[in-house]
Each structure stands twice: as structure tokens, then as C-alpha cells.
Amino acid sequence: MSKGSTSRMATGGFKPVEEQLAYIKKGVAEIIPEEELKAKLAKSLSTGTPLRVYLGVDPTAPDLHLGHTVVLRKLKHFQDLGHTAVFLIGDSSAMIGDPTGVSETRPPLTREQVDANAKTYLEQVFKILDRDKTEVRRNSDWLSKMSAEEVVRLCSHYRLARMLEREDFRSRLTNNLPISVHELLYPLLQAYDSVALEADVELGATEQKFNLLVGREIQREYGQPSQVALTMPILVGLDGQRKMSKSLGNYVGISEAPSAMFGKLMSLSDEMMWPYFDLATDRTPEEIAALAAEVKSGAKHPMDVKMALAEEIIAGFHGTDAARKAAAEFQRVFRDREAPDEAPMQKVARGPAKRLTAFLTEQGLAPSRSEADRLVKQGGVEIDGARISDVKYELDLTNAREFLLRAGKKKFLRIVVE
């Protein structure tokens, strides 16, 4: 599909502005500024012209996890409302490296690495977005063609002092850590994506706020109306502490087998399932609040609600039948092993997250750390029936909770965190 005015085909049937806005705002961290989004929606409604809403993703790894889908789902919401969803593969920007949130200069990827990662992205993305209604672009289409003069002209539109106000840059300067010039270029090149796409709205995680705001300013400098910046919260991983990340082992991959996804989601603490309902499902805030009230009153058991959450999330990626089979398998395995009330109980004090292997040793479920490592690697450790196979997995002990821990075939312990 082409960019700009050629894709701005008039379409009817847009919902009223307030109704669209209510749907868009579900789970959103910030809309900058909200009044501009209202005005853009009103103009879209009156002219029958869809907004151009884009999400850029740098293919720095081959697989997407549930954390990545939070912003993708918001792009789908705009698509549901009849607006143009633009999915941008940042193949050129990935080779530079986004400095957001990093404490040191990171090595850029090679073209071969980027192309290999990008091949798997679309197959996963179209588990969420409508393939026929999504405009797919690559920023190499324009960034790779920019002359030296054009890059310098782009740099002239933004002040260095403003760039150094960015938190990660400021922190590195304070700590005498290096910043390479190519890292300063990254926000400007991302901003130029907004110009090339003629974006009305750009989506990103909260950590991308600075880059999105640079895009607003650069669009003005190039004579375009400024895009609205919409940010989504970071999805906390299964450990309940840190951002979902494959390197931390606290992730749920969207291409993983349904049974593996189900087991991982069932390892969430009771408190953590509510953000997942908000950010990883289409349940309304009212529906989520009603569920939480039922759990609090005892009308529903937390595990039953968590199973419904896992089934709902998995159905979105693998279909309803696969999700039901995963739920049935989990229930059968959990029931066949040992009923929760038959296991001995151990109370532990709340505290910081702890490496699971260390906890197994402390609780006498493994004679040594090396044996605990072996048990985990061989799939012999489960939390509430969910198999944990990552030796780096950290157990959430920060919140009051109760869970069943199995080590080996016959060792069970019901842990009560208080």
C-alpha cells in the first residue's frame, strides 16, 4: 500500500467521537494531548477520512512476547474503529540501535540479523492485526535513501540541549559513561518516520515517550500537523517485578505452544492477573472490576479466574479449541498430581524476589543448588501446576499470596506468603 494521501480513502461508518475515545483509552498510560486526538477524531468523522495510526517496531529479536502485544493491541483497536493501521518495520533504525533505557552504547545489528528477524515478525503480528487492512512499511524505504545533506538538515531542526534532557542520556553523562553520536541520531530518524508516513497518531510504550514527542516537533518543522503521541504501560513479567523480557526468563512468547503459554500464565500471582486482564484482553474496565469484586467476596476462586484469563489470551493467538485443550490439560495434570489441601503448608515472610532454585534448597525441596538447577532444567518443578524450566526464574515474594510448589514427583509444599 502507498503512504500519505493515496491511502486516505474516505470511509463512512465511524462511531461518535466519545465512543471511539472510550474504546481507545482502555489501558492507555497517556495521550499527548488528548484534546488534539478528540479534534482529529472529529475531523475524521466529519470528512469520512480515517486517521493514519502507526506503530514502529525494530526487529532486534526474532520472536514477539506478550509484552510486545500491548501496543499492537492498541493499534488493532484503531483498526477496529475504521482507521488506517500502519505497521512499520524499523529495519534501518534497528541497525543503529535504540538507546532507550540502556546504560551503555549497544552494538548495532547487521543487515543480515535484521532481515532474519524481520521475516518472522509479520507472521506473528497478523495474529493480532487484520492482514488485509494493515499497511506494512519499512523505514529503509526512506532512511536508506537520505543524502548526507538531508541528514544534516534533519539534525538542524532539533537542539542538542533538548536531546540531552533525555533521562538515559542525562544519566550516562552524570556517570561519565559514553554516548555515541549515532545514538543521538536515533530519535531524529524515528521522528522522520512520522514525517514520511504522514502520521496522525504514533503509538509506543511509556519508555518511548521522548521519541514520540520528538516526532511531534519534527513534523511541525517539516510543515505537517503534529501527531498525537499515545503511550501504553509496560507489561510486567511473570516474576511480578520487572519488564517482560526473554533475557530475564519472565516472558510468554506468543508463538509458544498453547500448553506452555497456559502453564506460564497460571504462574502469575493473583494480584498480577488484573494488569494482564487490562492490557492483554478486550475485557472492559467494568468487566474487570466486576471480576475482581467477585474474587474479593469469595464468589469466585482466583484460580478459576486466572484460568479464564489464560484461556482468553491463548485463544487470541492459537484459536478457541487450542485454548480449551490447554486448559483441560492443565486441569487434568493439576488434579491428578495432588490436591492443594493435602500438601504440607509453609509460611514465609514477604520480601524481595528470590531465585527459585535457592528457594527450593531453603525449603528442603532440593538437597543443593546444583540439584535444584537439575530439577528445574528437567521440568521437575511446578508452581500451581505450571512447569518452570528456567533456572533464572525469580519467585515473587513481595505480595501476600498462596501457591503450591512441586519439586520432583512426590515433594509438594503449599507456600503462604504473608
Side-chain angles (χ1 to χ4, degrees):
M1 297 183 189
S2 59
K3 68 180 175 63
S5 57
T6 56
S7 65
R8 289 178 177 269
M9 298 177 65
T11 59
F14 290 113
K15 294 181 178 180
V17 170
E18 290 304 325
E19 191 174 337
Q20 290 191 62
L21 194 62
Y23 187 52
I24 290 167
K25 288 176 73 174
K26 178 185 180 294
V28 165
E30 197 170 4
I31 299 174
I32 309 170
E34 187 173 323
E35 287 304 315
E36 279 189 22
L37 178 58
K38 285 183 181 179
K40 287 179 183 288
L41 290 170
K43 183 177 179 181
S44 168
L45 181 63
S46 65
T47 62
T49 306
L51 298 182
R52 291 179 58 76
V53 185
Y54 105 89
L55 168 65
V57 179
D58 289 353
T60 54
D63 300 316
L64 298 178
H65 56 62
L66 208 55
H68 296 125
T69 70
V70 172
V71 187
L72 266 172
R73 288 176 59 78
K74 188 52 59 180
L75 184 59
K76 178 62 163 60
H77 290 169
F78 277 96
Q79 192 173 64
D80 291 342
L81 292 169
H83 300 292
T84 302
V86 183
F87 182 74
L88 177 69
I89 297 175
D91 54 342
S92 276
S93 46
M95 294 175 64
I96 298 170
D98 185 357
T100 301
V102 300
S103 58
E104 59 186 20
T105 302
R106 78 167 128 203
L109 299 176
T110 65
R111 168 57 65 182
E112 291 73 21
Q113 288 173 312
V114 170
D115 288 344
N117 292 340
K119 283 182 180 179
T120 67
Y121 265 43
L122 292 180
E123 181 181 342
Q124 298 172 75
V125 163
F126 290 136
K127 289 177 180 288
I128 297 174
L129 299 176
D130 186 325
R131 185 187 299 267
D132 296 329
K133 297 179 180 178
T134 302
E135 181 179 324
V136 179
R137 306 299 304 277
R138 290 173 177 258
N139 62 11
S140 58
D141 289 346
W142 48 87
L143 295 185
S144 295
K145 298 172 184 175
M146 292 181 76
S147 66
E149 290 82 0
E150 288 172 323
V151 173
V152 171
R153 191 175 302 119
L154 172 62
C155 293
S156 73
H157 291 303
Y158 206 80
R159 295 181 182 179
L160 179 61
R162 289 283 304 280
M163 191 69 71
L164 295 178
E165 289 173 0
R166 181 175 167 147
E167 185 178 348
D168 35 24
F169 287 155
R170 188 171 64 246
S171 174
R172 282 155 69 178
L173 280 175
T174 301
N175 293 296
N176 294 315
L177 295 172
I179 301 173
S180 295
V181 173
H182 77 277
E183 294 181 277
L184 301 177
L185 280 175
Y186 185 94
L188 293 174
L189 294 174
Q190 180 177 327
Y192 191 77
D193 291 342
S194 299
V195 174
L197 294 171
E198 299 181 32
D200 293 307
V201 181
E202 183 180 1
L203 310 180
T206 50
E207 62 185 8
Q208 285 288 319
K209 179 178 176 178
F210 181 91
N211 291 354
L212 271 59
L213 293 179
V214 176
R216 280 176 55 80
E217 189 162 335
I218 294 301
Q219 279 183 306
R220 286 197 298 270
E221 293 291 326
Y222 279 80
Q224 292 184 8
S226 292
Q227 66 186 14
V228 169
L230 188 153
T231 61
M232 296 295 294
I234 301 291
L235 186 68
V236 175
L238 300 175
D239 57 4
Q241 296 295 309
R242 298 166 295 180
K243 171 184 174 180
M244 184 174 284
S245 166
K246 196 166 185 179
S247 62
L248 296 174
N250 64 355
Y251 72 101
V252 180
I254 68 171
S255 294
E256 290 187 89
S259 58
M261 292 180 70
F262 203 99
K264 285 186 174 184
L265 289 165
M266 290 304 295
S267 73
L268 283 170
S269 69
D270 294 348
E271 292 81 6
M272 278 304 300
M273 67 177 167
W274 304 117
Y276 278 65
F277 266 116
D278 192 31
L279 299 175
T281 80
D282 282 331
R283 299 280 186 118
T284 66
E286 293 75 21
E287 289 173 328
I288 297 169
L291 271 178
E294 287 184 292
V295 169
K296 187 175 181 179
S297 70
K300 286 191 175 178
H301 194 283
M303 181 171 287
D304 294 333
V305 176
K306 202 181 301 179
M307 287 186 71
L309 168 68
E311 190 171 335
E312 192 168 331
I313 289 174
I314 293 165
F317 301 110
H318 296 285
T320 303
D321 289 345
R324 285 175 180 165
K325 287 179 182 177
E329 180 184 349
F330 175 86
Q331 201 160 15
R332 176 182 59 77
V333 171
F334 185 77
R335 184 177 61 246
D336 289 350
R337 288 218 167 110
E338 183 172 339
D341 56 5
E342 296 172 2
M345 185 177 70
Q346 176 65 47
K347 294 183 179 181
V348 298
R350 278 192 253 186
K354 180 172 289 187
R355 184 69 62 89
L356 175 59
T357 50
F359 189 79
L360 291 171
T361 306
E362 289 174 8
Q363 298 301 325
L365 294 173
S368 65
R369 284 291 293 275
S370 60
E371 177 62 17
D373 283 352
R374 185 190 66 79
L375 270 174
V376 171
K377 288 178 181 177
Q378 294 181 352
V381 177
E382 293 182 355
I383 298 175
D384 281 341
R387 183 174 296 169
I388 307 297
S389 56
D390 184 355
V391 294
K392 294 182 180 179
Y393 182 87
E394 300 219 345
L395 199 55
D396 178 20
L397 300 175
T398 59
N399 299 304
R401 59 182 294 213
E402 185 176 323
F403 58 91
L404 182 66
L405 186 59
R406 179 182 73 83
K409 292 182 178 179
K410 298 181 178 179
K411 292 184 179 180
F412 290 85
L413 196 59
R414 177 153 291 285
I415 304 297
V416 178
V417 183
E418 57 181 19

